[in-house]
Amino acid sequence: MQKPFNLSNLARLLAVAAALPILAGCGALPATPSAERDFVLAVIPDTQNMLDYRHQQAEGFKFDANDLFVGQMRYLADNARSAGGKVAFVAAVGDVWQHQTATMETDHAARGHRAVPNPYFSVELEVTPKAKTVEMPAALAGYRLLDGRVPFGVAPGNHDYDAMWADARFPPVPPQELGKLMAAHPQTPVESRPDLIGMLHIGGLDNFRSIFGADSGFFKGKDWYVASYHGGADSAQIFSAGGYSFLHLALEMQPGDDVLAWAADVMAAHPGLPTIVTTHDYLNGAGERHGNPIVDLKRLDDRHNDAEDLWQKLIRRHDQIFLVLCGHQRGQAMRVDANGAGHQVVQILADYQDRGQSAIEAGVPPGLRGRPVPIGDGWLRLMHFDFAAAVPSVQVKTYSPHYRRYSGETSDYAKWYKALEQPALSDGEFFAADDYRFTLPDFRERFGPPR
């Protein structure tokens, strides 16, 4: 799904971030990391376009884009600690696959929600059996490469829900009128105008649970899978690395109050553990806690909480939470805020789904608005935690198993991607957004020394 982005405050946010003591510049991963005091947390951004059935040779595409996804998973498995590498945990931010199997599931239909046709989201709203026959089996096969090699948690994204529909309360304007209405606001991206192109709602997680539910082969009986809610739509894992045990919470998209209460109970059951929260939609490309306005679930259904609600109701109230990971909105961003106890919480966005350089290189003609056909190019986030020094640090790197190199080693990186994702940045700023180090100055005050 094409995501809106807002770059108006990005330069200012980058400047503020650069002045914070948390940042310590860019650089390569340590050549000789200290034994048992370092590890890698891998983050899988939205993979939907790699698994999209339309992007496979069986549909006439130049190559099987899901090979990019398999390459990601094989790389993580080969570099897991169980294989002699450094990857101790894998967090997936959602939008694993692309398509749905229903227009609307029964719960929303029973509560009076109605769908309307929407010409602007014909791809996103396609209901197809190929979600189950092509996309979900590819996801299952990829994650099986991690099974037994490294613990992982997956947060569902909007495309992982059983149904996604254009909500009747925000009907789209006719295409012949759109240009005239947009002319009045030429600087406003059309993707941020739900009053013109409509708004999408989602419902049902049976498909997601069939792959990633609490009773799935991935998690049932695993000692590191410690809790679940809604059958595994929300889940909790514990992994030990770097001298600490970490709690990871994978939360559904824009979760309701009941999910937040469950998350609080899980933390209470595991007091003192440094906690990472992964959820799909939290930061935008400008580093603001603003969700995608086209998929603003709270506006459509008061059972949901938006990003600021999630911060106020859960994250800032629980001092165990020190890191938040998300995707959904195109681009890269980082922000740091003090929680209610005065301790820092690092919040990071990474979403590479719309990248299409590998499609260009394969001879795939441009798609919508002359842009490359989006397939993601296999980019991953690798967060290298080092607890050997007096002040712990985290080196953030971005790596593509397809290109077999880091973003900082890719001379054309900004040329390939900056114009689509964050055109207001200089090339140097764009490189820095995917290759930087930050420190955790209050980590040991909160969680004690490594063991």
Side-chain angles (χ1 to χ4, degrees):
M1 172 175 192
Q2 194 166 301
K3 307 300 191 298
F5 57 98
N6 181 350
L7 295 168
S8 60
N9 295 318
L10 187 54
R12 176 181 59 81
L13 288 168
L14 284 172
V16 171
L20 289 171
I22 187 171
L23 293 181
C26 302
L29 296 179
T32 54
S34 302
E36 299 183 1
R37 287 293 179 262
D38 75 301
F39 67 94
V40 170
L41 167 67
V43 183
I44 302 177
D46 308 41
T47 57
Q48 65 199 66
N49 285 319
M50 289 182 280
L51 299 190
D52 190 327
Y53 79 88
R54 299 168 304 139
H55 297 159
Q56 315 306 325
Q57 285 184 301
E59 297 293 326
F61 203 68
K62 293 284 189 180
F63 62 98
D64 287 330
N66 61 25
D67 285 347
L68 297 169
F69 169 72
V70 171
Q72 289 181 323
M73 308 307 272
R74 183 173 290 116
Y75 173 84
L76 295 176
D78 290 347
N79 287 277
R81 288 196 306 178
S82 63
K86 290 292 183 182
V87 177
F89 189 79
V90 177
V93 304
D95 275 1
V96 181
W97 51 81
Q98 180 78 286
H99 289 98
Q100 299 77 46
T101 55
T103 299
M104 187 182 299
E105 90 322 335
T106 55
D107 176 67
H108 281 85
R111 290 194 285 124
H113 290 260
R114 291 191 305 111
V116 295
N118 189 312
Y120 306 113
F121 297 106
S122 58
V123 171
E124 290 79 8
L125 298 178
E126 179 185 0
V127 174
T128 172
K130 292 180 181 180
K132 284 190 173 182
T133 61
V134 178
E135 297 175 4
M136 292 170 60
L140 180 62
Y143 276 91
R144 278 179 175 158
L145 294 173
L146 303 186
D147 191 21
R149 305 294 291 273
V150 60
F152 63 91
V154 184
N158 51 300
H159 284 263
D160 303 320
Y161 281 72
D162 303 339
M164 185 159 57
W165 63 92
D167 191 88
R169 286 166 290 179
F170 290 85
V173 301
Q176 61 268 28
E177 296 180 18
L178 182 62
K180 182 192 308 181
L181 293 168
M182 284 301 299
H185 302 279
Q187 302 304 315
T188 304
V190 66
E191 297 98 330
S192 65
R193 294 293 303 274
D195 57 319
L196 299 184
I197 63 173
M199 188 177 291
L200 306 182
H201 201 8
I202 56 176
L205 281 167
D206 288 344
N207 289 342
F208 182 84
R209 282 186 284 263
S210 73
I211 304 291
F212 300 114
D215 290 330
S216 74
F218 290 139
F219 304 129
K220 188 174 182 179
K222 299 288 180 28
D223 57 2
W224 49 265
Y225 188 88
V226 296
S228 64
Y229 188 62
H230 286 165
D234 307 276
S235 63
Q237 300 82 30
I238 288 178
F239 67 97
S240 296
Y244 294 90
S245 290
F246 294 85
L247 175 64
H248 175 262
L249 298 172
L251 304 183
E252 62 194 75
M253 184 171 170
Q254 299 178 29
D257 286 345
D258 59 328
V259 176
L260 304 190
W262 168 81
D265 288 345
V266 173
M267 285 185 281
H270 301 281
L273 293 192
T275 299
I276 302 161
V277 171
T278 297
T279 193
H280 188 57
D281 185 24
Y282 182 77
L283 292 182
N284 65 15
E288 303 163 321
R289 284 191 293 267
H290 289 316
N292 180 341
I294 301 300
V295 196
D296 186 347
L297 304 184
K298 180 182 178 181
R299 193 171 178 184
L300 295 172
D301 190 339
D302 60 9
R303 294 187 180 191
H304 292 273
N305 288 295
D306 61 20
E308 188 60 28
D309 291 333
L310 182 56
W311 168 258
Q312 296 292 345
K313 292 182 178 182
L314 182 74
I315 297 167
R316 73 175 301 275
R317 293 184 182 183
H318 293 274
D319 195 34
Q320 286 180 231
I321 301 173
F322 76 100
L323 178 64
V324 181
L325 305 170
C326 63
H328 185 59
Q329 299 199 62
R330 180 174 58 211
Q332 311 89 293
M334 170 188 169
R335 67 178 290 155
V336 182
D337 293 287
N339 64 16
H343 293 137
Q344 71 172 29
V345 181
V346 181
Q347 301 142 83
I348 295 178
L349 161 73
D351 179 10
Y352 308 121
Q353 64 174 284
D354 285 344
R355 296 181 171 186
Q357 180 61 27
S358 56
I360 292 174
E361 293 166 356
V364 178
L368 184 67
R369 299 177 194 167
R371 295 171 176 172
V373 173
I375 50 177
D377 292 349
W379 293 97
L380 293 165
R381 269 291 171 86
L382 302 174
M383 303 179 65
H384 188 274
F385 287 69
D386 189 349
F387 289 100
V391 178
S393 66
V394 181
Q395 177 72 52
V396 176
K397 289 280 191 179
T398 304
Y399 182 79
S400 170
H402 172 71
Y403 287 110
R404 299 184 181 182
R405 55 182 183 260
Y406 293 100
S407 60
E409 300 169 338
T410 307
S411 58
D412 288 333
Y413 193 69
K415 178 182 177 181
W416 289 350
Y417 305 128
K418 188 186 75 169
L420 176 63
E421 294 177 358
Q422 292 170 314
L425 300 185
S426 68
D427 286 1
E429 290 169 331
F430 188 75
F431 274 103
D434 268 331
D435 186 347
Y436 59 92
R437 185 190 302 274
F438 62 87
T439 60
L440 300 170
D442 57 25
F443 191 90
R444 290 199 170 121
E445 173 190 341
R446 297 159 75 177
F447 305 113
R451 292 175 289 280

